[in-house]
Amino acid sequence: MKSFLIWSGGAALLAVTALDVIGMLGRHLGMPLHGVIELIQPMVLYAGCAGLLIATAAGRHARVNLLADRLPERGKALVGWLEDLATLLFYAALLTGSVILALDLWNGHEVGELTGVPWRWMRLVVNLSLIALILALIVRRFRGQRG
């Protein structure tokens, strides 16, 4: 799964780069490709979700351990537990707000102005990713792993 997320997230970022270059060349050559940003948004969303899931599962988020490194082992363990609890609460708050928005706007006509890319599917990806992030954090914590 990790390998799939790395490769598919990387492929999404390469596709974003290619589309952006094509859009930029089109603008400079007088043949703009309308809707490039709308096509890029779902790919960036997927790459970001995949990257967050990989980092959360591996416990490899960026951290500043200036204070934690000076604590005794029990203090480090407590700080690690509090970090994970705060992260879990943050993901849960994001999920709650995102689910409320998704439910409220699911049948609304929210699509990209130029390409018609529906936003409801991007919201679904975010919600599923947040659920996966919460589960990955819980599994990592119960396995006793910390970044």
Side-chain angles (χ1 to χ4, degrees), residues 66-90:
L66 189 63
L67 178 62
D69 285 345
R70 291 169 172 43
L71 296 174
E73 287 305 314
R74 288 186 67 192
K76 287 181 186 178
L78 178 63
V79 168
W81 185 84
L82 290 173
E83 270 180 359
D84 286 342
L85 178 63
T87 304
L88 181 69
L89 291 173
F90 179 69

Side-chain angles (χ1 to χ4, degrees), residues 4 7 11 14 16 22 29 56 62 65 68 72 78 80 95 110 118 140:
F4 171 76
W7 282 100
L14 287 174
V16 164
I22 290 168
L29 295 174
T56 299
N65 293 321
L78 178 63
L95 178 62
E110 277 195 309
R140 193 188 84 226

